[in-house]
Amino acid sequence: MSLLNWLTYGQEYMVEVEVRAAHNVVEACARTETIDKVVFTSSATAVLWRDNNSQSLASDLDERHWSDVNFCRKFKLWHALSKTVAEKTAWALAMDRDINMVSINGGLLMEPHLSITHPYLKGAAEMYECGTFVTVDLQFLVDAHICVFEDVSSYGRYLCFNHAITNHEDAIHLARLLTPYSPSPPPSYEEANMIIQQRLSNKKLNKVMVDFESELLLED
């Protein structure tokens, strides 16, 4: 087996591992009588990958959309594939076992040790060009988990991010974080002034977080 084939096999195997882990966790929750709600941590990559020729580029994507597993497999988007199949597995089991579950589909987590090797970044240029490159700060991600867990009205999936990479300045800033020792070429006039239309919507999460924080203020 060649090195390339071995690496591909390893990445595909990790998809199976993540799917099995998701199933086992939800299964364990189903057998635990004291669990009232499950918050499943997924990824925005389980939403955003599909053939753009099959949809209107003007339409927004939100938590109602799913990444196309065939598209992910074709272009070796293993992170997106594993997150998509694992989340679908979790949802299928949750519905079968009548588990109260919600999912948080987070953008790229901006943490101190983030590097260019992060699997979320496979296809970063395409995400940027399509207006679907989003990031999330750790505190915002934690707050979102707490909010949807404690809010009795929360349901389904929630896209979770608090920043979208939609212009050249933001893209260069992120590139410098990921590759601090690589020189950045000067942008052309068109690149420097281009604004990408954001195509991922997190309105559902923002609304539930605002409503939840308002209730806490009233209680105080």
Side-chain angles (χ1 to χ4, degrees), residues 17-103:
V17 170
E18 185 150 356
V19 170
R20 189 159 56 247
H23 179 278
N24 291 343
V25 168
V26 177
E27 177 67 28
C29 293
R31 297 182 181 184
T32 306
E33 297 180 359
T34 56
I35 291 180
D36 296 323
K37 179 185 286 187
V38 174
V39 180
F40 185 85
T41 304
S42 186
S43 170
T45 58
V47 172
L48 58 87
W49 285 111
R50 73 255 323 283
D51 183 359
N52 285 330
N53 292 325
S54 66
Q55 63 180 359
S56 170
L57 290 175
S59 62
D60 282 346
L61 299 174
D62 58 26
E63 53 280 328
R64 294 171 295 180
H65 296 88
W66 287 90
S67 288
D68 185 327
V69 293
N70 293 324
F71 182 88
C72 293
R73 192 177 297 278
K74 177 181 178 180
F75 292 99
K76 296 180 172 55
L77 298 164
W78 305 119
H79 181 270
L81 179 63
S82 64
K83 295 300 181 182
T84 303
V85 181
E87 188 187 346
K88 284 190 172 186
T89 299
W91 275 115
L93 184 57
M95 289 186 285
D96 181 65
R97 296 302 186 89
D98 197 26
I99 298 173
N100 181 13
M101 189 178 99
V102 293
S103 70

Side-chain angles (χ1 to χ4, degrees), residues 151-204:
D151 192 323
V152 295
S153 65
S154 64
Y155 67 95
R157 307 167 82 205
Y158 291 87
L159 262 172
C160 179
F161 60 91
N162 57 347
H163 187 66
I165 310 297
T166 57
N167 59 66
H168 187 77
E169 183 179 353
D170 286 346
I172 289 298
H173 177 69
L174 179 60
R176 286 172 177 164
L177 288 176
L178 297 172
T179 55
Y181 302 109
S182 299
S184 301
S188 66
Y189 177 82
E190 290 77 11
E191 287 177 328
N193 292 278
M194 182 174 61
I195 301 295
I196 304 292
Q197 179 184 350
Q198 179 183 327
R199 294 188 57 237
L200 278 185
S201 172
N202 60 349
K203 292 179 181 178
K204 182 182 177 185

Side-chain angles (χ1 to χ4, degrees), residues 7 69 107 126 129-130 164-165 186 215:
L7 290 173
V69 293
E126 289 78 8
E129 292 169 1
C130 291
I165 310 297
E215 290 177 6

